[in-house]
Amino acid sequence: PSRTEDLSWADLVFHYTSELIFGPWEEYEKIIKTSVNNSNVFTISSGVHNMPYYPKEIFFPDLQHFFTTTAKKFKKIKINNKIKKEKIFDALLGRSKPHRIFIYEKLSEHQMLHSCFVNITKDSRANYGLSYRSLDLNEYEDNNLIPYLHNDNNYSKDLKNLENGTTISQHIPFKIYENSWYSIVAETNWFLSTFFSEKTAKCILAKRIFVFFGSQGQLALLKKYGYKTFDSIIDETYDDIKDDTERWSRAFDQVLLLSKMDPVLIYKSLKDVLEHNYAVLMNQEYRFDQLKNFLINSIDAMNTKKGDI
């Protein structure tokens, strides 16, 4: 936390963030208890980074905030999986990070830049990485978005008259999805993270097949949340690989594999999976119930502890 507040008077303190929390646990625990001057702290977040251990009885890291907010702003759309599309993949990578640069370089190596919608930008805060944007990408963007796309600070900006969503980050790129078959999802963090953002949510809401580039074990976590993935078609054992570069390489092998398959048949075979995932993501009540149960159990535990004193 960036500020401190004396909450020593409170029986119970809930620390909430819609983002992720950085570990290890011992460091986070020391910071948060010092910040509120209270040892009885319960935490709610949308994920963790570098925190292989945390006490589950006082920490709820499965908020899925970006799934919830993206679903809330989503206007139902139907992507027409027609026989002919302009591109094979979209790779809307966003700000340069190692796994995103890896994807761009692999697309370039395999001469796939022309057959994909690709966007990657330098990290303006660190002058890091590279910039590339498919020349024809603007033809498929929402015209109301285009003036804002090159400014990192605008991704949470409320914009009017968008075709879908209310901010750039929540916007479902309907025309891009309509004119490409699959997505490459490069999540926010590429190692030691359980955090999911709107990047994954958009594909699920659009009933879209994707190849995932993120941290080891994130696909397994997605299944824990009730979703199904695409292991009946592609080899998703890359999710088990600890080494980042090897995991990304195996994931990119699946990009190549999909590019050689008949997408109409692939979508037909995965129709039930895509419908299931959409239903799970739209089930806001289920996610709320998980949080509600954590809060109730936390309060019950506090009351039990007080009774034992």
Side-chain angles (χ1 to χ4, degrees):
S2 58
R3 65 187 181 91
T4 61
E5 186 171 352
D6 185 5
L7 300 178
S8 57
W9 52 267
D11 292 325
L12 179 63
V13 176
F14 282 102
H15 172 230
Y16 160 84
T17 175
S18 61
E19 296 282 347
L20 76 166
I21 290 176
F22 291 82
W25 166 257
E26 293 77 14
E27 291 183 9
Y28 161 75
E29 182 182 38
K30 181 178 179 180
I31 291 171
I32 191 62
K33 288 183 176 180
T34 301
S35 297
V36 298
N37 193 24
N38 194 311
S39 295
N40 202 14
V41 179
F42 288 66
T43 295
I44 300 165
S45 77
S46 287
V48 296
H49 181 84
N50 191 26
M51 198 179 291
Y53 162 78
Y54 57 86
K56 292 180 172 56
E57 66 275 9
I58 62 173
F59 195 166
F60 183 80
D62 299 319
L63 184 65
Q64 301 173 64
H65 168 82
F66 289 91
F67 283 12
T68 298
T69 54
T70 306
K72 182 179 179 181
K73 301 295 184 181
F74 176 69
K75 301 173 185 175
K76 192 169 183 179
I77 58 174
K78 183 177 181 180
I79 304 296
N80 178 21
N81 286 323
K82 55 193 177 185
I83 300 300
K84 181 175 175 57
K85 295 198 178 193
E86 296 295 324
K87 310 286 185 177
I88 304 172
F89 280 89
D90 80 78
L92 305 179
L93 303 173
R95 188 181 295 127
S96 288
K97 294 183 179 182
H99 59 321
R100 296 169 180 171
I101 294 173
F102 175 92
I103 293 166
Y104 168 82
E105 291 177 344
K106 281 293 183 181
L107 290 172
S108 178
E109 175 187 336
H110 289 274
Q111 299 181 348
M112 293 178 67
L113 291 176
H114 69 284
S115 61
C116 301
F117 291 122
V118 182
N119 183 50
I120 185 170
T121 61
K122 284 186 177 181
D123 187 341
S124 60
R125 299 170 301 180
N127 195 28
Y128 172 78
L130 55 87
S131 290
Y132 177 89
R133 184 173 176 84
S134 299
L135 293 176
D136 56 351
L137 192 52
N138 280 5
E139 297 176 24
Y140 302 93
E141 288 280 18
D142 186 328
N143 289 332
N144 294 300
L145 278 179
I146 292 173
Y148 302 95
L149 289 175
H150 301 288
N151 188 335
D152 293 339
N153 297 322
N154 283 325
Y155 276 76
S156 60
K157 182 181 179 65
D158 285 327
L159 301 176
K160 296 181 179 180
N161 302 318
L162 293 182
E163 295 171 353
N164 210 294
T166 59
T167 68
I168 296 178
S169 61
Q170 293 169 349
H171 168 68
I172 308 293
F174 173 77
K175 292 179 183 176
I176 292 172
Y177 286 178
E178 183 83 2
N179 288 280
S180 58
W181 284 107
Y182 311 110
S183 289
I184 293 174
V185 173
E187 260 298 352
T188 303
N189 300 291
W190 66 96
F191 69 102
L192 298 177
S193 177
T194 66
F195 179 71
F196 289 99
S197 72
E198 76 287 340
K199 299 173 184 65
T200 303
K202 289 179 182 183
C203 288
I204 296 174
L205 288 169
K207 301 177 185 176
R208 192 161 172 85
I209 297 168
F210 57 89
V211 180
F212 187 87
F213 290 76
S215 295
Q216 178 191 16
Q218 273 197 278
L219 286 180
L221 181 58
L222 204 60
K223 292 178 180 179
K224 174 189 168 186
Y225 289 157
Y227 299 94
K228 298 178 181 180
T229 56
F230 313 118
D231 51 8
S232 63
I233 299 296
I234 60 176
D235 181 4
E236 293 182 333
T237 58
Y238 65 81
D239 187 53
D240 301 326
I241 299 173
K242 183 175 182 180
D243 180 81
D244 294 329
T245 303
E246 183 181 353
R247 185 174 65 257
W248 304 338
S249 296
R250 289 274 295 276
F252 196 84
D253 287 343
Q254 311 318 305
V255 171
L256 297 176
L257 179 63
L258 277 175
S259 70
K260 298 171 184 176
M261 293 180 169
D262 184 334
V264 175
L265 294 179
I266 294 297
Y267 269 91
K268 184 177 180 179
S269 68
L270 290 172
K271 183 177 185 299
D272 290 344
V273 170
L274 298 171
E275 294 289 348
H276 167 85
N277 288 347
Y278 175 84
V280 172
L281 186 49
M282 292 299 289
N283 190 347
Q284 304 278 39
E285 185 175 349
Y286 174 76
R287 281 192 294 279
F288 177 75
D289 283 344
Q290 306 308 301
L291 175 58
K292 182 173 68 175
N293 290 337
F294 172 78
L295 294 172
I296 291 172
N297 292 337
S298 301
I299 294 169
D300 287 346
M302 178 201 68
N303 289 331
T304 299
K305 182 178 180 180
K306 287 174 65 177
D308 291 339
I309 296 176

